[in-house]
Amino acid sequence: MASLQLSGQSNDSLSYEDSRKEPIDSSELHSVSRATWLSTLLPGAGQAYNGKYWKMPIIYGGIGACAYFAIDNHRLYRQYLDAFLMRADSSGIDQYQGIYSDRQLVELQNIYRDWRDLSLIIGAAIWALNVVDAHVDAHLFYYNVNEDLSFNLEPRIIPMGNFSAVGIGLKINLDP
């Protein structure tokens, strides 16, 4: 916004000041695509780029837990599969002989394979949410949330003709 000011100099001149900010160099802008790609390539990197460092342990904890359970469930799946294949080949006695029947070994394989797959799906969902979170945070990077915003719920008495009703009033203050 431009402003015109009178100068108190001896030559009675008028001075013109342009109060607009200088254009920001595009290389200095916070990049949404950079935050998104960083989170896609390395989980948590987009959150670090956005300055939300506290989210990184949550992301790594979720992906790490999913990876742990996927590996452990795969190990148990292979263990029961190997025992079943050993029985099918009649090549020896497996460690579950007399404990589980053939049908129970197949059921255990199915259970641990399903749990492994579920762990991988949940891990992929956490990864995708990490990317979406970095993308949204980058869009809101310059969004100004000041102290003048308020949201109040308070009890109200509402006049209704000859009688009154009790309700909840909502007051939103959006002063800039």
Side-chain angles (χ1 to χ4, degrees):
M1 185 168 114
S3 64
L4 183 64
Q5 295 180 350
L6 293 176
S7 175
Q9 297 173 354
S10 62
N11 59 2
D12 292 332
S13 66
L14 295 173
S15 68
Y16 176 77
E17 286 184 28
D18 192 0
S19 61
R20 288 180 289 180
K21 292 183 180 178
E22 290 296 319
I24 299 174
D25 183 18
S26 63
S27 65
E28 295 176 10
L29 289 176
H30 194 77
S31 172
V32 174
S33 64
R34 180 177 289 163
T36 305
W37 278 109
L38 283 171
S39 263
T40 302
L41 299 175
L42 181 66
Q47 282 73 11
Y49 177 72
N50 290 332
K52 305 287 178 128
Y53 301 104
W54 64 272
K55 293 181 180 181
M56 292 175 65
I58 297 169
I59 293 166
Y60 282 114
I63 291 174
C66 288
Y68 168 79
F69 285 116
I71 291 167
D72 190 50
N73 288 324
H74 181 71
R75 180 186 59 81
L76 291 169
Y77 162 72
R78 289 296 307 176
Q79 190 174 334
Y80 291 122
L81 177 64
D82 291 343
F84 179 75
L85 293 175
M86 190 179 280
R87 283 188 192 178
D89 290 342
S90 301
S91 60
I93 298 174
D94 63 271
Q95 61 187 357
Y96 301 110
Q97 193 71 36
I99 300 172
Y100 297 124
S101 68
D102 291 348
R103 179 71 187 137
Q104 288 173 323
L105 283 176
V106 171
E107 285 298 318
L108 286 168
Q109 290 173 48
N110 291 338
I111 289 169
Y112 285 107
R113 184 182 56 235
D114 290 346
W115 287 353
R116 176 202 60 198
D117 295 347
L118 182 62
S119 297
L120 292 172
I121 290 168
I122 292 172
I126 291 172
W127 193 304
L129 287 174
N130 150 64
V131 174
V132 169
D133 177 67
H135 183 82
V136 170
D137 270 348
H139 270 291
L140 299 176
F141 188 77
Y142 292 114
Y143 185 72
N144 183 15
V145 178
N146 57 21
E147 299 298 322
D148 293 335
L149 299 177
S150 64
F151 177 83
N152 295 321
L153 285 175
E154 50 192 37
R156 293 273 186 198
I157 298 176
I158 304 166
M160 310 266 305
N162 295 335
F163 62 93
S164 296
V166 177
I168 296 176
L170 173 65
K171 180 180 178 184
I172 299 174
N173 185 15
L174 300 175
D175 293 334

